[in-house]
Structure formats: C-alpha cells, structure tokens
Amino acid sequence: MPTLILVRHGRSTANTDGVLAGWTPGVALDERGGEQAAALPARLAALPISEVVTSPLQRCQETIRPLLEARPGLTAHTEERIGECHYGDWSGRKLADLKDEPLMEVVQAHPSAAAFPGGESMRAMATRAAEAVREWNARVERDHGADAVYVMCSHGDIIKSLVADALGLHLDLFQRISVEPCSITAIRYTRLRPFLVRLGDTGDFASLAPREEPPAGDATVGGGAGAP
C-alpha cells in the first residue's frame, strides 16, 4: 500500500495570534509560514509524488501551492474530511481565554469524550480523517501502484489523530504527539499494519532549544506555532 506524506500547513496568522482558527475563513499564512511553504518543494524533491490532497482551508491551500508550481504535472484534490476540527463556538477565540474552560481539561486528558459546543467531537474528527486516508490509500494504489507516494496537507489535530491511528493508540493519548507548522510526517501503509517512518520533521532543531518561558504541560489545541 502507499506511503502517505502528511504536511501540516505553514505557520498561520492564527498561530502567531494564539487564536483557535478552526474553519474561520481568511486565515492565511504569515510571513514565516510563506517561507516554510516556499521551502517545501526542495524538502520533497527526492520523492516521486503521485497525488496531492489538501484540506479546503486557505492556510493549507497556500502551503501546498509552491509544490504544485514546482511540479506542473500535479493537481491538488480538495478533501473536506481532512479539514480542521469543527471547534464550533470556540472558533476564533484566544487560546489563553479558553484554558480555564472546563471542557479544556477534557480535551487534554480525555479527548475521545470531548465535543465542542456548536461543533463536532474529537472522536468524529479522528474517524472522518482516518476514513479519508483509507479511501485515498486504495485510490492511490489502484491508480499508481502499491509503492506510490502521495502528499496530504492538513492540520495539527488531524495529523496527530492519524498518527495515533497508525500506532494503534487510543485517541485519549493523541495529545502526547506534537507536529509543528510545515512539519512532515510519513506513514507507510502495508496489508497488515502501518509504519510511522517520520514524525513532525521540520528539517531543523530550533524548536528543541530552551525558551525563556518553558512550554506548558498542556497540548496546544489545533497545534502550536512552532519555534519562535
């Protein structure tokens, strides 16, 4: 079965503003996010990419555009099911203002039971994303062969849930996974099991350096902003 290259979108204006964007329209890449997207074609240059699939949200479309420009033979397929979690009433709110919400504790410790007011549950998010990947695996293998490689550009929580699925982890453990903006995660699927062969690879280690303010113990809902 194919190898899936998961790309989280580049750093967005919502990431730098500390806002939970969700499906809020008009959330674009910031300057650094644009630079990250521009570097993506070189990072993936050695791969014979057969298909490109992307979330419909602007920040993903902008991230994948340089890759499509570098490879005129590729076109992007928009896939609604790998769009960001529907955070409902939480969308557009500051993460700092959400940290004291009772639901946030559930999101951190028991995400399989978390459902956002006016939105969807994290369990539903994970299910739709996994179903999309399985269908795309079958389609890519049918059209390009069992050794094909394809790219999917999506969002932090979506990618974390797909990694958990590949590793056989319960969704309640997915907050232990971290994927930075424009990081690359690779999963090789086989008939019996998936293999996680890259996780959150950004090509540098800047985000591991000590910071003036140590990172919080909680996971950033929607994914963090990456190295400062």
Side-chain angles (χ1 to χ4, degrees):
M1 295 180 71
T3 296
L4 170 61
I5 307 299
L6 288 161
V7 178
R8 184 184 167 200
H9 62 77
R11 196 174 75 176
S12 72
T13 53
N15 293 144
T16 46
D17 290 342
V19 169
L20 187 61
W23 285 68
T24 305
V27 177
L29 298 183
D30 67 7
E31 183 177 356
R32 181 171 180 179
E35 293 169 354
Q36 291 170 331
L40 191 59
R43 294 170 63 197
L44 298 177
L47 296 180
I49 298 169
S50 59
E51 298 281 3
V52 173
V53 185
T54 181
S55 157
L57 295 173
Q58 180 179 338
R59 51 199 183 273
C60 286
Q61 302 275 338
E62 291 179 352
T63 298
I64 216 68
R65 188 175 299 143
L67 178 63
L68 298 174
E69 291 173 349
R71 302 200 189 197
L74 290 175
T75 57
H77 303 275
T78 299
E79 173 58 75
E80 294 273 340
R81 291 173 294 177
I82 63 165
E84 183 61 283
C85 185
H86 291 276
Y87 296 116
D89 297 344
W90 279 26
S91 299
R93 293 181 61 186
K94 289 275 191 180
L95 288 164
D97 296 335
L98 291 168
K99 64 181 179 61
D100 294 326
E101 293 275 356
L103 178 60
M104 183 60 84
E105 185 178 12
V106 182
V107 170
Q108 293 294 328
H110 190 18
S112 66
F116 296 97
E120 70 178 331
S121 68
M122 301 199 91
R123 186 176 63 255
M125 172 204 76
T127 298
R128 62 172 164 86
E131 288 176 347
V133 165
R134 281 161 175 74
E135 289 179 21
W136 275 99
N137 282 348
R139 177 173 172 175
V140 169
E141 181 174 6
R142 181 197 68 203
D143 294 345
H144 303 283
D147 295 326
V149 177
Y150 74 108
V151 168
M152 196 172 263
C153 186
S154 188
H155 307 265
D157 281 349
I158 294 285
I159 294 172
K160 288 161 55 178
S161 74
L162 291 169
V163 170
D165 176 74
L167 293 176
L169 294 178
H170 195 284
L171 186 62
D172 285 346
L173 300 179
F174 99 129
Q175 297 290 28
R176 301 184 182 196
I177 300 165
S178 176
V179 289
E180 292 198 356
C182 223
S183 63
I184 292 172
T185 295
I187 301 172
R188 181 173 295 125
Y189 289 87
T190 73
R191 186 173 63 87
L192 295 181
R193 64 183 62 85
F195 292 90
L196 178 66
V197 292
R198 292 289 189 280
L199 175 61
D201 188 342
T202 61
D204 67 65
F205 298 98
S207 65
L208 302 181
R211 304 186 189 182
E212 292 183 8
E213 295 183 10
D218 287 343
T220 303
V221 182

